[in-house]
Amino acid sequence: MSNLLIFITLFIGILAIIYSIIIARFVMAKDPGTREMIRISDAVHEGAMAFLKREFISISFFVIFVIVLLFLTLLTKSIKFAIATCVSYVVGASFSLASAWFGMNISTKTNTRTAEAARKGFNPALVIAFLGGSVMGMMVVGLGVIGLSALFLIFSNLSKEPTVILRAAKAASVLAGFSMGASSVALFARVGGGIYTKAADVGADLVGKVEAGIPEDDPRNPAVIADNVGDNVGDCAGMGADLYESFVGSILSGLVIAGSMGSDKGMILSLFLAGLGIIASIIGVFSIRTAKKDASGALVKSTIFAALLFAIASFVTIYTLYKGDIKYFWPVLSGLLVGVIIGVLTEYYTINEKFLKEVAGASTTGVATNILTGISIGMASSVIPIILIAIAIIISYFTGGFFGIALAGIGMLSIAGITVSVDAYGPIADNAGGIAEMAHLGEDVRKITDSLDSAGNTTAAIGKGFAIGSAALTALALFSAYAQTVKLLGINLALNILDPRVVAGLFIGGVIPFFFSASTIRAVGRTAKLVVEEVRRQFREIKGLMEGKAEPEYARCVDITTRGALKNMIIPGIVAFLTPLLVGIILGLNALGGLLAGSLISGVPMALFMANAGAVWDNSKKWIEAGNLGGKGSKEHKASVEGDTVGDPFKDTAGPSLNILLKLMAIVSLVFAPFIVYLYKLIPFLK
């Protein structure tokens, strides 16, 4: 098997890292603004990095536990396989942590530079914010491609299998550990960051906007720094880890399935398509142009341009690699198109004035009707995306089999570089607005940052829809890889709906997303309660705070949200990891297959519902704040703020976290398949 294309892919990954370093230096050279702006930005930066440090320490204990468990269980196959998988797991987890650390380090320093650029005009501020976000985007895909390509080359060369294709297939099976490392970090980053950001946001809104009647990002609000920190740890580090994991998981599923088929070209294609996506994303970043002060339109056009470039490049690659046979192009194209269409549909349901007026109008009769209307729109928004995903699955399977499904996932995630860039732009723009407000930069600057922030809300909603859609295909592809791996180990899955163990697995899998969502939403509620009490205490006890004559104790709110997030992220993470293991060991491989299928069937629609319902509540609130239905301070506004408070943990904690839950359960099943098969053959009851 020629390794030329894999070496090219590795080089492209290195190119993405070089791009990130150059752009980071370029952004950091820009003017950070006044001393007051720098002081506020530094407070956000220090809070965000301190949270990441404490979160990483917590994650490291979990990583050590998994390494021990991996090594002991995979000894049933061979000691070399166990060691190689553990090494792969550590590298996958470490690269995920590194991308989050570096990307957020730059993002939290770009905010003040964006605010300062806004004093010069709209376009300079947009370019700085987007380039700052692109550092995270390219770091995520660059490290993912470097890790997979390098380890694939290393492990295939170290393997003692008799043929080249068998050595490559063995390397692919070891790389499942890399994907599980990415999933482990992503789950805690998403859950921990989501709890942090929404607890701070809810606390700031309920006391600041509703009770005290002060504006958003008002420096008198003790929770305002925690809120700005939360934007970064949730929507920057959390989303980056999420899409890093999806990106890696989709490639890994393609490698494993192609390896089980004995297809060297399939394994090369799985890696090389990811490299093509990075090149398309970098070109897409530099294509951003706007003359009409339409940030959202400019960002979406750049994403679509990158998608078009990738489609053309993937067609040429497949046509050349398979000597005129383009059957594998259709799965790639279907995944790419469905990803773009889900993004467009998400935008339609969450920012279309028809729905915003409906939810905002419901606020005239109180909080309850506002919430009911948002829930109904969120539920309706999940229908068409699920149908589209089903169509993509059918097209992919009938043109490329299980490998086609993996290619659809790769196609959807191919432009993850620009997708993460657009999403990481959001917290930068949001923080820039907060700095403009707290540093009193004036109405003209605030209008520009508000426009940038509005685009960030739109692109964040699109990003969440894209992440959920990609999770569905990636989890299904990993499930297919699990089935193929089990088959190679001598067991054929038989997911007979009449088998009570399969039915039991379906029910358990179906209810896990409910348990997981309940845990994360309750965690936000518990932590937000502590923030609310602290903000009320400061307003009550610090003399002169409401008059702007005294400084609030920002650090207290930052510490409360940090401790609450880290404490409450542990149980959901452990449940997500152990459930597939326990079901596979106790009920058998078919029940485990049912578990994965059941979690997909309930988890994907639920994730779409919660993400879109939360976004439409948020945007309808902003529509009222723009001066409609009485504007800020009206009873309609207060009802919409409370509706948005319900939507916050929906769209930024529970909904996005479900993506990772589905993929983590699938990758755990894949990695521990040799151990479960060993028990399956050893213990007659499991048969």
Side-chain angles (χ1 to χ4, degrees):
M1 178 175 65
S2 172
N3 288 330
L4 176 62
L5 290 182
I6 299 178
F7 277 111
I8 292 174
T9 304
L10 179 60
F11 173 77
I12 292 172
I14 295 170
L15 182 67
I17 302 302
I18 294 171
Y19 166 92
S20 295
I21 294 170
I22 292 172
I23 295 299
R25 290 174 64 88
F26 171 79
V27 171
M28 290 302 100
K30 296 298 179 182
D31 186 357
T34 65
R35 183 177 298 178
E36 179 65 10
M37 293 166 66
I38 295 170
R39 184 186 69 82
I40 297 166
S41 176
D42 285 347
V44 173
H45 172 76
E46 288 167 13
M49 302 313 288
F51 173 80
L52 266 196
K53 182 178 179 181
R54 288 170 66 173
E55 184 180 54
F56 286 3
I57 291 171
S58 299
I59 292 173
S60 66
F61 288 112
F62 180 79
V63 167
I64 292 169
F65 163 75
V66 174
I67 291 170
V68 174
L69 184 64
L70 261 179
F71 182 75
L72 293 177
T73 54
L74 296 185
L75 278 176
T76 54
K77 188 167 184 179
S78 77
I79 188 169
K80 289 182 179 179
F81 182 80
I83 292 172
T85 304
C86 288
V87 169
S88 184
Y89 175 82
V90 171
V91 175
S94 300
F95 278 18
S96 181
L97 293 171
S99 63
W101 183 272
F102 187 79
M104 203 167 79
N105 188 39
I106 300 303
S107 294
T108 51
K109 291 180 179 178
T110 305
N111 49 26
T112 185
R113 289 162 173 82
T114 300
E116 176 63 20
R119 302 170 78 177
K120 301 182 180 75
F122 177 84
N123 280 350
L126 172 64
V127 170
I128 291 298
F130 188 39
L131 287 178
S134 74
V135 172
M136 167 71 89
M138 298 309 161
M139 187 62 68
V140 162
V141 294
L143 287 175
V145 161
I146 288 172
L148 286 172
S149 301
L151 289 178
F152 182 80
L153 289 169
I154 291 168
F155 288 134
S156 57
N157 285 323
L158 289 177
S159 176
K160 302 299 183 182
E161 297 293 334
T163 65
V164 173
I165 187 61
L166 285 177
R167 289 197 291 272
K170 189 68 171 286
S173 65
V174 168
L175 285 178
F178 185 94
S179 183
M180 193 171 79
S183 296
S184 300
V185 171
L187 184 69
F188 288 109
R190 227 350 167 179
V191 173
I195 294 169
Y196 185 109
T197 183
K198 290 304 106 181
D201 196 4
V202 168
D205 282 357
L206 284 182
V207 185
K209 288 185 180 180
V210 177
E211 295 181 10
I214 60 177
E216 187 169 3
D217 294 322
D218 193 295
R220 292 171 292 175
N221 192 330
V224 72
I225 294 295
D227 187 13
N228 282 311
V229 170
D231 291 332
N232 289 283
V233 299
D235 289 336
C236 186
M239 174 60 85
D242 183 353
L243 285 177
Y244 171 86
E245 179 233 16
S246 286
F247 180 70
V248 167
S250 65
I251 300 169
L252 183 276
S253 62
L255 287 171
V256 172
I257 294 173
S260 70
M261 295 162 50
S263 171
D264 57 344
K265 289 182 179 179
M267 285 187 273
I268 293 171
L269 182 64
S270 299
L271 282 166
F272 190 65
L273 286 176
L276 292 177
I278 292 176
I279 297 296
S281 294
I282 292 175
I283 296 172
V285 167
F286 286 115
S287 74
I288 187 166
R289 294 287 185 277
T290 177
K292 301 179 181 178
K293 294 190 176 182
D294 179 14
S296 177
L299 295 170
V300 171
K301 285 177 183 176
S302 295
T303 304
I304 292 174
F305 179 64
L308 181 62
L309 285 178
F310 173 76
I312 295 170
S314 62
F315 175 84
V316 172
T317 299
I318 292 169
Y319 184 88
T320 304
L321 191 62
Y322 288 92
K323 298 179 180 178
D325 186 354
I326 59 169
K327 68 176 182 179
Y328 288 136
F329 173 69
W330 305 118
V332 174
L333 183 64
S334 67
L336 184 64
L337 287 177
V338 167
V340 172
I341 295 170
I342 287 176
V344 172
L345 285 171
T346 302
E347 183 180 12
Y348 172 73
Y349 276 105
T350 56
I351 69 167
N352 187 285
E353 199 164 278
K354 167 189 169 185
F355 296 117
L356 299 189
K357 285 182 177 179
E358 185 178 349
V359 177
S363 301
T364 59
T365 50
V367 179
T369 46
N370 173 282
I371 291 173
L372 288 171
T373 307
I375 287 174
S376 64
I377 291 172
M379 287 181 171
S381 72
S382 67
V383 176
I384 299 177
I386 293 298
I387 293 172
L388 289 172
I389 291 170
I391 292 171
I393 291 169
I394 291 170
I395 292 172
S396 302
Y397 181 78
F398 283 105
T399 54
F402 287 121
F403 182 58
I405 294 173
L407 288 178
I410 294 172
M412 189 178 283
L413 284 153
S414 57
I415 54 169
I418 195 168
T419 305
V420 177
S421 300
V422 168
D423 205 81
Y425 152 91
I428 294 172
D430 193 353
N431 281 190
I435 290 171
E437 177 73 27
M438 288 186 276
H440 310 291
L441 296 186
E443 194 63 31
D444 291 343
V445 174
R446 184 69 206 202
K447 281 183 180 178
I448 290 174
T449 58
D450 282 349
S451 176
L452 296 175
D453 184 24
S454 176
N457 290 331
T458 300
T459 55
I462 294 172
K464 288 182 179 69
F466 177 86
I468 294 164
S470 66
L473 285 178
T474 302
L476 182 61
L478 289 170
F479 175 45
S480 303
Y482 161 74
Q484 295 295 314
T485 299
V486 170
K487 184 178 180 181
L488 287 176
L489 293 169
I491 305 292
N492 281 314
L493 285 184
L495 298 185
N496 183 353
I497 194 65
L498 298 178
D499 184 338
R501 284 176 291 192
V502 173
V503 174
L506 286 167
F507 273 106
I508 295 170
V511 82
I512 287 295
F514 285 85
F515 170 81
F516 191 82
S517 299
S519 299
T520 53
I521 292 172
R522 287 180 71 189
V524 171
R526 289 193 196 104
T527 310
K529 180 176 181 290
L530 298 175
V531 176
V532 167
E533 290 171 351
E534 174 60 23
V535 175
R536 285 173 177 167
R537 182 197 68 79
Q538 292 195 34
F539 278 139
R540 185 175 62 248
E541 296 179 5
I542 300 178
K543 294 180 180 180
L545 180 56
M546 282 301 294
E547 293 77 23
K549 298 177 181 178
E551 187 86 0
E553 298 172 0
Y554 297 123
R556 292 288 297 274
C557 290
V558 171
D559 185 61
I560 287 170
T561 44
T562 298
R563 284 188 283 109
L566 297 179
K567 176 183 175 183
N568 287 291
M569 73 179 187
I570 301 299
I571 297 301
I574 291 174
V575 168
F577 187 86
L578 292 182
T579 299
L581 267 177
L582 293 175
V583 169
I585 292 170
I586 297 170
L587 296 179
L589 293 166
N590 288 327
L592 179 52
L595 173 89
L596 299 179
S599 65
L600 269 175
I601 291 166
S602 71
V604 176
M606 182 184 289
L608 285 166
F609 150 62
M610 287 196 288
N612 292 341
V616 79
W617 275 316
D618 188 11
N619 290 329
S620 65
K621 175 200 69 177
K622 286 182 170 60
W623 186 77
I624 293 175
E625 288 176 343
N628 301 294
L629 295 178
K632 294 181 180 179
S634 64
K635 66 181 181 66
E636 289 82 5
H637 179 234
K638 289 184 178 181
S640 71
V641 169
E642 295 195 31
D644 178 43
T645 301
V646 174
D648 275 337
F650 271 40
K651 69 180 174 66
D652 289 325
T653 309
S657 297
L658 286 176
N659 311 338
I660 306 163
L661 170 74
L662 302 177
K663 293 172 288 186
L664 179 61
M665 291 203 298
I667 194 66
V668 167
S669 302
L670 175 61
V671 170
F672 287 98
F675 175 67
I676 297 172
V677 169
Y678 172 79
L679 293 179
Y680 190 87
K681 293 177 177 178
L682 189 66
I683 305 172
F685 169 76
L686 296 180
K687 299 182 181 179

